[in-house]
Amino acid sequence: MKTLIAALATALVLPAAAQSPKLKVGFMLPYSGTYAALGDAIEKGFRLYMTEQGGRVGGREIEYVKVDDESDPAKATDNVNKLIKRDNVDVLVGTVHSGVAMAMAKVAKDNGTLLIIPNAGAVAVTGPMCAQNIFRSSFSNWQPGYAMGEVAAKRGAKKVVTITWKYAAGDESVGGFKEAFEKNGGQVVKELSLPFPNVEFQPLLTEIAAIKPDAVYTFFAGGGAVKFVKDYAAAGLKKTIPLYGAGFLTDGTLEAQGADADGLLTTLHYGDGLDNPKDKSFRAAYQKAYNAVPDVYAVQGYDAAQMLAIGLNASKGDVSKKAEIAKAIETAKIDSPRGAFTIGASHNPVQDMYLRQVIGKDNKVIAIATKALADPGRGCKM
Ligand code: PHB
């Protein structure tokens, strides 16, 4: 009798379960160019979490499709439309570059496709472009900049020069820095920039040497950050003018920067030596899966997957239940390797900003620069 019931159950239940369609996740990330390593780490972090869940969320098995967005805003709308219209993805996960992310957010908003941004800090996507179906697992460009503005002022800098790539991420990172720094009595005396992803820093470094500010604040990331830190040291500036950065300057880059990064101070929502059990287990699992040490991008990918799971477990795998998904994510405490965080009203993480110092191959956390920092979400009406 038992075997008969089991046979019937198999016949009735299994085919039904098998029919439940797979959940198609579309990765739109940079797999080439200056941000290639960042895209790779995000995908690895995301897959690690899903593997830990047995490859399913909301009762649905996951299937991945990928597009290399090349960090090129000009190709972004076509790329995201390919994922939505050609590949019929249920969820979009991307991207690194703010300009590309804004194009993704526009399409996601128009189509109602669930979008989780695992890096790009474009202020607009959790500002004027905010929407019920758009979430960010990372940061806003304003956040690390703002935290460093407070640190620089506290450390006694009065006149600072900023240097970055001229696009949303650089502008907004400098904007956050300037807001906090000037509120605390400092002055940004010159804002230098060059087009993304150029790395001809020499003329700008010559200008910095001539101005002789108390400190320099910078946003660079990926391959560009490696070269900037090396060029800053080679120009002899490291010895005389402190270089402060948003933490991307030294995250995932220390191997390539070597001694030229030693001692640098940066602010970010992740770092090395955090004393929390989640980070310890995450690092061990990442090391085992990929034989590599995770960086901030891997954490953001992992947490994007956690947020997707929280939303879809609440909606039982139904991506059309937007209000249920949003409510679940908005009310969750996300158990991140960075430390637990919540998602604010504009769908951006509310999180501690750490002050880190490069010691050997680590971005060692030495203090909390700003506790539970929320992006102001200016212009967001949900
Ligand atoms: C961005 O374009 O928003 C961006 C890119 C790389 C980073 C951080 C922000 O590391």
Side-chain angles (χ1 to χ4, degrees):
M1 191 61 187
K2 258 200 185 143
T3 8
L4 183 60
I5 291 170
L8 272 173
T10 310
L12 294 172
V13 177
L14 273 189
Q19 274 160 24
S20 151
K22 287 186 180 171
L23 182 83
K24 248 193 186 182
V25 172
F27 284 128
M28 182 158 150
L29 291 166
Y31 294 106
S32 58
T34 199
Y35 288 159
L38 289 60
D40 180 59
I42 288 167
E43 183 179 336
K44 285 189 165 119
F46 192 98
R47 285 180 182 265
L48 177 62
Y49 181 79
M50 289 309 182
T51 303
E52 290 172 359
Q53 305 310 301
R56 307 175 82 85
V57 284
R60 293 172 71 177
E61 202 183 317
I62 297 181
E63 179 185 348
Y64 297 103
V65 281
K66 316 172 32 162
V67 163
D68 176 10
D69 68 34
E70 303 167 52
S71 295
D72 186 351
K75 297 180 183 159
T77 303
D78 277 355
N79 279 332
V80 70
N81 276 324
K82 255 186 234 156
L83 285 171
I84 293 178
K85 307 228 162 81
R86 183 195 65 189
D87 299 329
N88 288 311
V89 300
D90 297 296
V91 184
L92 285 166
V93 175
T95 187
V96 168
H97 183 287
S98 273
V100 178
M102 284 191 275
M104 292 181 79
K106 167 134 194 7
V107 176
K109 193 166 175 164
D110 291 349
N111 288 266
T113 310
L114 180 58
L115 166 64
I116 303 185
I117 301 171
N119 184 69
V123 161
V125 302
T126 55
M129 302 176 79
C130 76
Q132 193 183 41
N133 57 313
I134 299 176
F135 298 88
R136 183 152 51 203
S137 67
S138 50
F139 59 92
S140 83
N141 290 317
W142 179 92
Q143 285 176 307
Y146 188 89
M148 189 44 100
E150 292 188 332
V151 170
K154 258 189 222 136
R155 295 178 69 86
K158 294 279 180 266
K159 292 192 186 312
V160 162
V161 170
T162 63
I163 176 166
T164 190
W165 279 314
K166 186 80 208 144
Y167 82 107
D171 292 345
E172 293 166 0
S173 182
V174 165
F177 175 85
K178 194 170 167 176
E179 189 179 326
F181 187 54
E182 299 200 335
K183 206 190 273 177
N184 287 283
Q187 194 194 352
V188 171
V189 292
K190 182 97 192 178
E191 297 182 28
L192 300 171
S193 63
L194 73 172
F196 174 87
N198 289 7
V199 289
E200 284 82 42
F201 302 121
Q202 206 48 57
L204 301 175
L205 294 173
T206 305
E207 222 176 317
I208 291 172
I211 299 170
K212 297 193 180 62
D214 299 330
V216 168
Y217 173 75
T218 189
F219 165 87
F220 287 112
V226 171
K227 178 146 190 305
F228 183 74
V229 164
K230 295 192 91 55
D231 287 5
Y232 195 84
L237 293 173
K238 187 165 179 244
K239 292 193 288 286
T240 50
I241 307 172
L243 177 62
Y244 298 141
F248 314 108
L249 186 69
T250 55
D251 230 81
T253 55
L254 289 176
E255 210 61 60
Q257 288 163 334
D260 291 339
D262 264 351
L264 290 181
L265 291 174
T266 63
T267 42
L268 204 64
H269 46 286
Y270 188 59
D272 297 307
L274 286 172
D275 192 20
N276 76 63
K278 183 70 189 181
D279 192 43
K280 292 206 173 92
S281 60
F282 166 73
R283 283 181 171 241
Y286 196 92
Q287 181 71 44
K288 185 157 181 248
Y290 306 116
N291 196 23
V293 178
D295 55 18
V296 70
Y297 309 104
V299 171
Q300 293 167 175
Y302 188 84
D303 291 341
Q306 291 209 65
M307 286 164 62
L308 178 61
I310 288 165
L312 289 196
N313 288 338
S315 77
K316 304 208 168 41
D318 185 345
V319 280
S320 72
K321 293 197 169 141
K322 297 206 194 86
E324 282 181 30
I325 293 169
K327 184 160 172 251
I329 299 175
E330 285 163 4
T331 54
K333 192 164 178 185
I334 295 145
D335 187 16
S336 170
R338 75 188 83 173
F341 71 92
T342 55
I343 292 292
S346 63
H347 291 179
N348 188 66
V350 178
Q351 56 193 343
D352 293 347
M353 288 288 139
Y354 302 111
L355 177 62
R356 309 118 39 96
Q357 180 158 41
V358 176
I359 299 170
K361 291 287 172 280
D362 281 346
N363 283 291
K364 183 96 184 119
V365 172
I366 56 171
I368 293 177
T370 316
K371 186 101 198 121
L373 185 63
D375 181 273
R378 291 169 187 134
C380 168
K381 286 189 203 74
M382 227 25 115

